[in-house]
Amino acid sequence: MYEIKTAAVIGAGTMGLGIAGQLANAGIDVVLLDVPVEGPNRNAVTERAIERLLDRNQPGLLHKDLLRHITTGNIEDDMERISTVDWIAEAVVERLDVKKALYRQIDAVRKTGSIVSSNTSTIPISLLVADMPESFRKEFAITHFFNPVRYMRLLELVQGEDTRTGVVRCLEVFCDKKLGKGVVVCNDTPGFLGNRVGVYAIQKALHTAFDMGLAPEQADAVFGRPLGIPKTGVFGLYDLIGIDLMSDVVKSLESILPENDAFHAVAARIPVMDRMIDAGLVGNKGGKGGFYRTAGDGVGRETLDVDTFEYRDYAPCKPRAAVDAELSGDFTGLLGLDDAFGAYAWEVLSHTLCYAASLVPQVNESLVAIDDAMKLGYNWIRGPFEMIDIIGVDRFIARLESEGRDVPAFLRTAAGESFYRAKKKKLRYLESDGGFSKLRRAKGVKRFSEIRRTLEPVEENAAASFYELRHFVGLVEFHSKANALGPDSMRLLEAAVDYATDNLRGLVIHNDAQHFSCGADLATILGFVEAGDMVGLDAFLDHYQKTLQAMKYAPIPVVAAPSGLSMGGGFEVLLHTDKVIYHANSVTGLVESLVGVVPGGGGVKEMLYRWYEHEGDITKAAWKAFMNIGYGKTARSPLEARELAMFRDGVDTYIMNRDRLLRAATKAIDKLAPGYEAARRQPIAMPGRDAWTEMQTWLENAHQDGKLMPHDVTTGSQIAMIVTGGDIDAGTELSENDLLDLERKAFVTLGQTVETRDRIRFMLEHGTPLRN
């Protein structure tokens, strides 16, 4: 019986450090080792590495305090420290000789029953364990994580011929529940699954763009969100990863894949990219730029003209069909365009989908494993076989045949069918022999994107849908662009609360999108602002508030299960639920001040109450709310959210694997529903005008010191008015409804300013706040 309670990671590079950080996030004590350094501090490599875990831009830890779980050392002085651990993860350089020498060191000191694994992405397990004792081979596996380890959900698990089933099962359960990974069991084949399909897709997109003479902007306008692929596009992704590093990845795969593999057709080096590497134009990390770079003004963007080898102004050129595909989630219209964009989309996607289909069953027996690898490892919204289903299997085959192209055998097996189908409220998938099997997940793993296929909505509109799950539990799913919440979102939520109140035991708010909700729909708000329709703006806010209040005080429990971003108006939804079950990487905050407004859906009111409950002093609570909302502070994990009163101890909770959110939420309903009664809040005795004046003075001083812009002072004054009550006597009691009225009044006041209009416009156009 294998069990992991302690661990060691050898190799403190990007991947090893990430693995150690995620173990610490799970509360596992871990020893991090690397090579020694000559001099007084022989652990300098690992100690310097630890500093990177605390990088504010991409922290490897949920909270800095979790660093206590990591101890550092080196492989010459400290190997005996791994003798007691349960799992030893190797993440050293991709050289077989280095790894094998290390394994001999490990085997000399490790305890019997400890698991050893490699993070290799290219070397077969058969080569890694050749010449090693049978006792070592039985307890060895490949655990291939993806970078950054904290955020990327895929773990590829590879079993050797001699690996014990118990070892694989232990790693599978531990990495799922403790490390939050979607585990895909792979055969011992070159590139496994994620990189084999993912790098092929990237290379096909790259080479096709060059072959067709497309500019980077043109290619990235298609090979990105319109196809359900991350927004970077292929050229942006090369810049993000590093053009030199990506070239090495391609070279590595080319060296290990079979000679007849289609990958070789897209692996050739491109001369202009070699020239870029020689010139140091290797992407974001190099500071000089890549295919794109930041313009001299620090705001704009420039593109490398590959013909002249000079940078020019960035020229966005997304076709209407690409915009429609991004908004609707239906990419099929792009494939039918009779222009360069349509030709590019079809050429890249059709070859990628055929390549994925060609891997079944020789490389992996299950199409689900390939779909999972692309969704979890490359952040595709849909896997290759899900995309073929959307196109239509027969339609896809017919177009391939019309072009005289080969049709993979497994694709022909699906003719007249689809790769997935719902039957008797169960989702099934096609096997290589033509039969269908139930799609089974680990106990407790529930993906609503899969469950949805077996359900009919009780009610739906363009922005949201409402479903009835088993055991009289309802579920509201937001599905607008970025899950921005507008009038339709609130109308659907209002209807769901009404229906659930009469018919169900509880309500869950959850979705499988990358982000729970990026906030209230700024386009809707800008429409009111530009039209000068303050009556309409007030009505929108009033309905938003009343919907969330009705949800908060409904006679049934409401549980939210968010992942990704829950910002602004999206976070206001969470603030009005009985319990929030966060994914460990959830990002939360009230950031409205950054676009020149205040939270208008009850966010200020809720944070004031929470800080009051936390501090026990209304003036201290008002200052806490004022500062956090004014600065638009965000938390990058539930542990950070706790410090900002965004996470309630004893009420809210978090879990590492986002695929377990839905099951946890329905179980929470089971516990809350019996005898449930919403707790009513009493009015608050407000701090009043003295505190209001002090806050205004603080704002003016901060402005004089150059810390705030004039409109920051205007916005901050409105926040101060809400949290203190404004020009009222200290001790005057205000109810929740009174505070909501103040929020609306402040929002509408700010909505009449040119500065707020400009800030909202800038955010919509650039996706980042205006710093003026």
Side-chain angles (χ1 to χ4, degrees):
M1 181 67 179
Y2 293 91
E3 185 177 13
I4 297 172
K5 292 184 177 180
T6 56
V9 177
I10 303 180
T14 298
M15 295 307 299
L17 181 66
I19 295 167
Q22 192 67 355
L23 285 161
N25 288 335
I28 302 297
D29 289 333
V30 55
V31 177
L32 178 64
L33 304 180
D34 207 303
V35 294
V37 174
E38 294 299 326
N41 184 7
R42 289 172 60 79
N43 298 335
V45 172
T46 49
E47 290 180 8
R48 283 198 303 266
I50 289 296
E51 295 173 6
R52 301 201 305 273
L53 281 178
L54 303 177
D55 180 4
R56 181 61 188 168
N57 292 324
Q58 195 173 76
L61 296 177
L62 297 176
H63 193 280
K64 63 182 183 299
D65 288 351
L66 293 172
L67 201 58
R68 68 183 183 276
H69 290 291
I70 304 177
T71 56
T72 58
N74 68 77
I75 58 173
E76 286 187 8
D77 304 328
D78 303 297
M79 282 298 283
E80 77 283 352
R81 291 165 61 185
I82 73 171
S83 63
T84 60
V85 304
D86 303 315
W87 177 24
I88 304 162
E90 169 267 303
V92 300
V93 64
E94 286 285 85
R95 280 180 47 187
L96 183 60
D97 59 331
V98 173
K99 291 179 186 289
K100 290 180 73 68
L102 178 61
Y103 296 159
R104 287 189 285 273
Q105 280 186 272
I106 292 171
D107 200 39
V109 297
R110 77 180 185 98
K111 69 179 182 180
T112 301
S114 64
I115 296 172
V116 182
S117 73
S118 173
N119 186 59
T120 183
S121 61
T122 57
I123 304 175
I125 196 170
S126 55
L127 294 180
L128 289 173
V129 297
D131 304 326
M132 292 301 294
E134 182 182 19
S135 58
F136 183 90
R137 299 197 305 270
K138 285 181 176 180
E139 295 177 332
F140 185 89
I142 289 175
T143 48
H144 178 219
F145 291 85
F146 280 64
N147 183 45
V149 176
R150 174 181 165 185
Y151 296 100
M152 296 306 294
R153 298 166 61 194
L154 179 61
L155 172 79
E156 293 180 319
L157 178 58
V158 184
Q159 178 177 358
E161 287 186 9
D162 298 317
T163 311
R164 285 176 172 154
T165 301
V167 168
V168 174
R169 181 60 181 158
C170 176
L171 287 169
E172 191 171 8
V173 172
F174 179 83
C175 292
D176 165 4
K177 293 184 176 181
K178 292 291 188 179
L179 301 188
K181 302 304 170 187
V183 180
V184 173
V185 178
C186 302
N187 294 328
D188 190 21
T189 56
F192 311 134
L193 286 179
N195 283 344
R196 188 154 182 180
V197 178
V199 177
Y200 176 87
I202 294 168
Q203 288 301 108
K204 181 62 183 174
L206 181 77
H207 277 263
T208 301
F210 275 100
D211 291 343
M212 292 180 64
L214 297 180
E217 299 99 326
Q218 293 174 306
D220 288 352
V222 173
F223 190 77
R225 280 178 174 166
L227 293 180
I229 293 169
K231 66 179 181 179
T232 55
V234 59
F235 290 96
L237 183 60
Y238 250 89
D239 278 356
L240 180 66
I241 295 172
I243 294 169
D244 53 344
L245 178 59
M246 191 65 198
S247 297
D248 290 342
V249 170
V250 172
K251 184 178 179 181
S252 177
L253 280 171
E254 188 181 20
S255 69
I256 62 175
L257 288 172
E259 289 185 7
N260 63 347
D261 195 275
F263 184 84
H264 295 291
V266 297
R269 297 185 73 87
I270 296 173
V272 72
M273 293 176 64
D274 288 337
R275 184 180 175 188
M276 290 173 69
I277 293 172
D278 291 341
L281 302 178
V282 294
N284 301 354
K285 67 176 182 178
K288 297 172 68 176
F291 289 108
Y292 302 110
R293 74 177 183 185
T294 302
D297 61 6
V299 176
R301 201 177 186 195
E302 295 178 337
T303 306
L304 182 69
D305 186 313
V306 296
D307 294 323
T308 65
F309 210 68
E310 303 235 344
Y311 283 95
R312 57 166 174 78
D313 289 343
Y314 177 77
C317 54
K318 186 172 289 187
R320 182 69 233 178
V323 175
D324 292 342
E326 187 174 334
L327 291 174
S328 67
D330 182 1
F331 60 87
T332 55
L334 264 176
L335 305 182
L337 288 180
D338 187 20
D339 61 14
F341 291 107
Y344 179 70
W346 169 254
E347 176 71 10
V348 174
L349 190 60
S350 63
H351 278 85
T352 299
L353 300 183
C354 285
Y355 185 70
S358 72
L359 302 182
V360 180
Q362 288 79 13
V363 174
N364 200 290
E365 299 79 9
S366 172
L367 66 89
V368 177
I370 296 175
D371 277 351
D372 280 354
M374 297 314 299
K375 290 187 289 186
L376 304 180
Y378 277 77
N379 281 336
W380 288 20
I381 293 175
R382 306 173 192 86
F385 297 98
E386 292 172 320
M387 296 179 85
I388 296 175
D389 276 354
I390 290 173
I391 297 169
V393 172
D394 291 345
R395 179 183 171 196
F396 187 55
I397 292 174
R399 185 165 177 182
L400 293 174
E401 290 177 335
S402 73
E403 297 175 356
R405 289 168 55 182
D406 292 335
V407 178
F410 184 50
L411 182 54
R412 285 206 182 278
T413 301
E417 290 278 2
S418 59
F419 287 107
Y420 293 91
R421 70 181 185 190
K423 186 176 181 181
K424 296 181 179 179
K425 294 195 173 184
K426 296 290 183 182
L427 191 61
R428 301 166 188 270
Y429 67 95
L430 184 69
E431 297 273 20
S432 59
D433 61 5
F436 279 83
S437 295
K438 289 182 181 178
L439 199 166
R440 301 181 188 278
R441 298 290 183 189
K443 185 178 180 182
V445 170
K446 302 286 183 184
R447 294 182 188 168
F448 185 66
S449 56
E450 294 170 352
I451 295 171
R452 187 201 306 117
R453 293 173 166 184
T454 69
L455 302 173
E456 289 293 330
V458 176
E459 189 164 339
E460 64 178 340
N461 60 36
S465 299
F466 170 51
Y467 297 86
E468 184 172 341
L469 306 179
R470 298 172 59 193
H471 308 305
F472 301 100
V473 175
L475 183 142
V476 170
E477 176 194 36
F478 301 131
H479 47 66
S480 57
K481 183 180 179 181
N483 288 334
L485 305 180
D488 281 350
S489 311
M490 290 300 109
R491 279 192 282 268
L492 190 286
L493 182 57
E494 179 183 36
V497 171
D498 289 343
Y499 181 94
T501 295
D502 294 336
N503 300 283
L504 305 176
R505 295 186 304 120
L507 186 64
V508 171
I509 306 177
H510 169 74
N511 60 67
D512 272 348
Q514 182 179 5
H515 301 300
F516 176 78
S517 171
C518 292
D521 183 13
L522 288 179
T524 295
I525 293 169
L526 183 61
F528 290 122
V529 170
E530 290 184 327
D533 183 7
M534 295 303 110
V535 173
L537 179 57
D538 185 75
F540 166 68
L541 295 171
D542 185 55
H543 183 239
Y544 207 112
Q545 293 177 346
K546 286 179 177 175
T547 299
L548 297 188
Q549 285 293 98
M551 179 182 74
K552 180 177 179 64
Y553 290 116
I556 55 166
V558 180
V559 175
S563 57
L565 299 179
S566 299
M567 309 298 281
F571 184 52
E572 286 177 305
V573 173
L574 304 186
L575 286 169
H576 289 81
T577 60
D578 294 289
K579 184 181 183 71
V580 183
I581 301 173
Y582 290 100
H583 178 230
N585 289 333
S586 293
V587 179
T588 52
L590 295 173
V591 294
E592 287 87 347
S593 64
L594 302 182
V595 291
V597 295
V598 300
V604 183
K605 175 258 300 182
E606 284 298 311
M607 292 311 302
L608 181 61
Y609 269 101
R610 289 198 180 189
W611 277 115
Y612 185 38
E613 292 160 2
H614 185 272
E615 297 290 334
D617 181 303
I618 188 56
T619 301
K620 289 182 180 179
W623 273 99
K624 289 283 190 180
F626 168 71
M627 296 298 288
N628 289 336
I629 296 171
Y631 278 117
K633 288 188 178 180
T634 58
R636 302 220 179 172
S637 74
L639 296 182
E640 289 185 2
R642 174 185 287 132
E643 297 174 349
L644 298 175
M646 298 176 186
F647 180 96
R648 298 164 293 184
D649 282 320
V651 177
D652 300 330
T653 187
Y654 73 92
I655 55 180
M656 297 292 284
N657 192 334
R658 63 178 290 170
D659 286 337
R660 293 182 173 275
L661 287 172
L662 180 53
R663 178 58 178 150
T666 56
K667 289 180 70 174
I669 294 290
D670 292 341
K671 291 183 178 179
L672 291 170
Y676 174 82
E677 185 177 348
R680 293 276 172 179
R681 279 183 170 148
Q682 297 301 311
I684 296 181
M686 301 296 289
R689 68 174 61 85
D690 287 347
W692 183 40
T693 301
E694 289 175 7
M695 289 179 185
Q696 290 176 306
T697 300
W698 183 92
L699 289 165
E700 290 297 339
N701 290 338
H703 172 49
Q704 292 297 323
D705 292 341
K707 297 177 181 178
L708 296 178
M709 302 305 294
H711 196 60
D712 295 329
V713 176
T714 303
T715 305
S717 296
Q718 294 297 322
I719 297 170
M721 183 268 294
I722 302 167
V723 299
T724 62
D727 190 18
I728 60 175
D729 293 335
T732 301
E733 291 190 343
L734 295 185
S735 67
E736 286 190 74
N737 287 336
D738 294 329
L739 292 170
L740 291 172
D741 289 342
L742 290 177
E743 283 191 26
R744 288 203 320 282
K745 177 183 176 183
F747 200 113
V748 170
T749 297
L750 292 166
Q752 298 174 64
T753 66
V754 172
E755 292 83 1
T756 288
R757 181 202 64 192
D758 290 345
R759 289 192 179 199
I760 295 175
R761 279 180 182 170
F762 191 90
M763 175 63 83
L764 288 170
E765 291 173 5
H766 300 278
T768 187
L770 175 64
R771 306 293 185 183
N772 61 5

